[in-house]
Amino acid sequence: MAEQNLSAREKKILASLIKANDYITAAELSKILNVSEKTIYRDLQSIKNKLGERNIIKQNRGKGYYISQLNILDDILDDSSSHNNFYGIDVDTRRRNILILLLLQTPTETSINKLAELYYISNASIVNDLNTIEQELTKHNLSLIRSRNGTHIEGKEIYIRKLLMQKINDIAYTNESYLLNDDDSDAHNLYTFFSPKDISFVKLLLNKAEEVLYGKIKDPYYINIFTHILILLKRLENNEKLLENTQITNYEYSDPIIKECTRIIVNNLEKYLNIKIPTNEIYHIYQYLYSSRIDTDSTYENINFSTTSSEENTFVNFLLKSVSNTLNINLTHDNTLKNSLLLHIRPLKKRIENNIFISNPLKNDIKKDFSNIFNIVKQILEKQTIYPKFQKLSDDELAYIAVYFQVALEKRTLQKRVGIICSTGVGTSHLLAARVKRAFPEWKIVDIVSSNHANKFNSNNVDLILTTVKLDKNDVPCILVSAIFNDVDIMNVKQKLNML
């Protein structure tokens, strides 16, 4: 069957042409698929050769390419498995995409037939998808309305935006890199919902914002405000009722620089959309900027603790002490950790005060892989009374805080003060030290002594002792190794450190 011979990228070209429902140029296709125009031309020719007389791609010079005779696709895609894989996505991804499309266009209705045609699957499959989507919507205080007129989502705009932020941000992250980077090969995933023009516009908009702010909007705040503006564009286009909120309200713009930055963003948005942005939406943009972390090159290193409020310092010190006591590890003198927490707490307070939702796509991974520190942070924050509103932080926010502690803990594992005790000669002792340093370059070898002077080391000047002889010493962790410190010794040391 010809369709089975189509490559994944050739299928995506067909999908992009179908979705466009109009002419689309090779240049636009190259942006969507993040490949060169030459590759697009080569793939189009390959599709033509594979489909032969059934080729449905037509070309119009100056306009580009389009799909004709959609009914022929029934012959090309003649089995259900091919239908499901046409877009190269699994069922969960398809359902997520349908949910996003419904959220973006609500209250405009769509039909089961249209959704089935969009993904080339049966109406029954779409019904199953909608049943699953309905269950998820209920968890977010939203409803799926199905009637003779079509299907749409109902609920408060705040809940619609919050769920959209969560779902779009899931797409916008790939592990630790963002799909917003120009050189990212998966950037076309965002084009499923937003046009290349809109995405490029928002990027330029935030570049202007950073010029006004004299600094970079740090991750993950950048991705959240980026997503917020993209969603705002679509929601203003698809829901005229949002434009009715034009009343003058005495919103408080306390930061003059953020206020000016907001004004520039709004002016550009109004020109781009050719509409008047509602005042509540303007203030929401301000809140997103105000609750973001803006860093210059020296912000982190030169943080001035005198400018932090006593309440912020008290809270961070309490958090450090509480976590330290729970883990039985002293983190209270880790200034890097304290800096990170202080810089995170400030915008966190603003987000909570202004009801700003921030998504953490790595939340589930953090809860699974770092469950101990996540649960410790969660329990401490639920019981503390310095910031009562922090008692019910979302798991997204808790995961960010937990990561700071996890990084500090792993750093402590890497940076250790080590004493070496060896019963053999000086030459062998220094060979052992050299091998240890090569295996663990971050460690500091405090001293090398013979077994007769084992008592020289105590818990105040070393974190760990590596010894070639058995020691009766309880105040410092001791690990028995061979004088040549081979791969078995290295593995043994790592295992023992994980148990400490």
Side-chain angles (χ1 to χ4, degrees):
M1 185 177 64
E3 188 275 332
Q4 288 180 331
N5 295 323
L6 293 175
S7 69
R9 191 169 61 229
E10 288 167 352
K11 293 177 185 177
K12 289 177 181 178
I13 288 175
L14 282 175
S16 299
L17 289 168
I18 294 166
K19 185 174 183 293
N21 197 31
D22 199 355
Y23 290 101
I24 184 169
T25 66
E28 290 171 328
L29 285 170
S30 71
K31 286 184 179 179
I32 293 173
L33 275 74
N34 200 31
V35 296
S36 68
E37 288 186 45
K38 288 185 178 179
T39 298
I40 294 296
Y41 289 129
R42 186 165 58 247
D43 285 346
L44 287 168
Q45 184 60 47
S46 175
I47 294 171
K48 181 178 180 181
N49 294 337
K50 291 175 180 177
L51 297 183
E53 294 181 356
R54 295 185 300 172
N55 181 42
I56 56 175
I57 300 178
K58 304 301 179 183
Q59 182 180 8
N60 187 308
R61 287 188 178 277
K63 290 186 177 181
Y65 302 86
Y66 72 101
I67 291 284
S68 66
Q69 297 175 289
L70 286 174
N71 60 303
I72 297 180
L73 283 176
D74 290 335
D75 296 327
I76 297 174
L77 307 172
D78 59 3
D79 65 75
S80 59
S81 63
S82 296
H83 293 186
N84 288 334
N85 293 326
F86 181 69
Y87 275 82
I89 60 176
D90 56 31
V91 174
D92 290 337
T93 302
R94 185 182 73 229
R95 289 172 177 173
R96 180 202 64 192
N97 289 358
I98 292 173
L99 172 57
I100 292 174
L101 289 172
L102 289 171
L103 287 165
L104 284 171
Q105 70 181 29
T106 193
T108 304
E109 295 166 323
T110 191
S111 68
I112 290 176
N113 286 337
K114 286 182 179 179
L115 292 173
E117 290 173 2
L118 180 63
Y119 288 97
Y120 287 90
I121 58 176
S122 67
N123 284 17
S125 294
I126 291 296
V127 170
N128 289 333
D129 290 347
L130 292 176
N131 289 337
T132 301
I133 288 170
E134 186 171 22
Q135 293 175 15
E136 182 169 7
L137 288 171
T138 302
K139 298 176 184 177
H140 295 271
N141 301 309
L142 296 169
S143 302
L144 186 69
I145 306 301
R146 288 183 267 194
S147 66
R148 291 182 179 179
N149 296 326
T151 301
H152 72 281
I153 292 172
E154 277 190 4
K156 292 183 178 180
E157 185 68 19
I158 186 173
Y159 298 135
I160 292 172
R161 298 278 184 97
K162 186 174 181 179
L163 185 53
L164 272 170
M165 287 287 290
Q166 177 182 320
K167 295 300 178 181
I168 296 295
N169 280 0
D170 285 345
I171 297 172
Y173 280 94
T174 299
N175 295 326
E176 296 179 357
S177 62
Y178 302 136
L179 300 183
L180 303 178
N181 294 337
D182 293 330
D183 58 349
D184 196 296
S185 61
D186 291 325
H188 64 270
N189 285 338
L190 284 177
Y191 293 130
T192 303
F193 314 102
F194 307 102
S195 70
K197 182 182 177 184
D198 285 351
I199 292 174
S200 297
F201 169 73
V202 178
K203 284 184 181 180
L204 292 173
L205 203 58
L206 292 186
N207 286 342
K208 291 181 181 179
E210 290 180 329
E211 290 176 5
V212 176
L213 297 169
Y214 295 102
K216 294 293 183 181
I217 303 172
K218 300 294 290 184
D219 300 327
Y221 312 110
Y222 181 94
I223 193 72
N224 275 269
I225 192 169
F226 185 100
T227 305
H228 172 74
I229 296 177
L230 269 180
I231 292 171
L232 173 62
L233 290 178
K234 279 292 183 183
R235 294 300 294 133
L236 290 176
E237 288 176 358
N238 296 332
N239 190 355
E240 293 182 0
K241 289 185 177 180
L242 295 177
L243 298 175
E244 296 173 2
N245 189 357
T246 57
Q247 75 275 16
I248 302 299
T249 305
N250 294 323
Y251 291 118
E252 182 181 351
Y253 296 88
S254 58
D255 189 307
I257 296 178
I258 301 292
K259 180 181 179 180
E260 174 62 15
C261 185
T262 303
R263 185 189 66 79
I264 292 173
I265 289 176
V266 170
N267 286 348
N268 280 274
L269 276 172
E270 290 182 337
K271 291 178 182 178
Y272 185 75
L273 295 172
N274 194 29
I275 60 174
K276 187 72 174 176
I277 304 295
T279 54
N280 66 316
E281 297 290 358
I282 295 173
Y283 189 61
H284 215 47
I285 293 172
Y286 172 85
Q287 289 175 326
Y288 263 93
L289 289 169
Y290 184 67
S291 61
S292 296
R293 176 176 158 187
I294 315 297
D295 278 7
T296 61
D297 292 338
S298 59
T299 299
Y300 184 82
E301 292 80 3
N302 297 326
I303 181 172
N304 183 357
F305 287 99
S306 64
T307 63
T308 62
S309 72
S310 58
E311 194 175 39
E312 288 172 353
N313 270 303
T314 299
F315 174 79
V316 169
N317 288 332
F318 162 80
L319 188 56
L320 287 170
K321 184 177 180 181
S322 299
V323 173
S324 296
N325 290 340
T326 306
L327 293 173
N328 198 27
I329 298 174
N330 188 4
L331 297 170
T332 60
H333 300 300
D334 189 332
N335 285 331
T336 300
L337 175 58
K338 185 173 183 178
N339 283 1
S340 298
L341 290 171
L342 280 170
L343 289 170
H344 187 83
I345 292 304
R346 296 173 188 172
L348 172 57
K349 284 172 56 184
K350 296 172 183 176
R351 287 196 297 277
I352 301 303
E353 291 168 359
N354 296 308
N355 198 27
I356 296 293
F357 170 75
I358 188 169
S359 177
N360 189 338
L362 301 179
K363 170 185 63 181
N364 292 333
D365 291 332
I366 292 168
K367 291 172 66 176
K368 177 182 176 182
D369 297 336
F370 311 139
S371 58
N372 186 42
I373 190 64
F374 177 88
N375 290 326
I376 287 172
V377 169
K378 183 174 184 177
Q379 291 169 10
I380 290 172
L381 289 181
E382 286 176 345
K383 295 178 181 179
Q384 59 81 35
T385 56
I386 301 172
Y387 287 133
K389 291 184 178 180
F390 283 13
Q391 293 173 350
K392 295 182 179 180
L393 287 181
S394 68
D395 284 357
D396 297 82
E397 293 284 11
L398 288 169
Y400 281 121
I401 297 175
V403 165
Y404 289 120
F405 282 100
Q406 185 64 31
V407 169
L409 292 172
E410 293 183 3
K411 184 179 177 182
R412 284 176 62 88
T413 301
L414 292 173
Q415 298 177 341
K416 287 193 175 297
R417 300 169 299 164
V418 180
I420 292 179
I421 297 176
C422 191
S423 61
T424 56
V426 175
T428 307
S429 300
H430 284 279
L431 174 62
L432 172 58
R435 287 179 173 270
V436 170
K437 191 67 177 175
R438 185 170 62 184
F440 301 98
E442 300 86 359
W443 288 5
K444 180 180 179 181
I445 307 298
V446 175
D447 203 355
I448 305 169
V449 301
S450 67
S451 55
N452 295 330
H453 295 85
N455 291 329
K456 177 179 178 180
F457 297 123
N458 59 56
S459 57
N460 292 323
N461 53 29
V462 293
D463 302 309
L464 175 70
I465 290 176
L466 299 182
T467 174
T468 61
V469 295
K470 289 186 177 180
L471 296 177
D472 184 18
K473 193 171 180 62
N474 298 321
D475 60 335
V476 182
C478 299
I479 301 177
L480 188 65
V481 298
S482 68
I484 59 173
F485 202 65
N486 54 28
D487 291 341
V488 175
D489 291 313
I490 294 172
M491 184 179 297
N492 183 47
V493 168
K494 289 181 178 179
Q495 290 176 345
K496 292 290 178 62
L497 286 174
N498 289 333
M499 296 171 61
L500 294 178

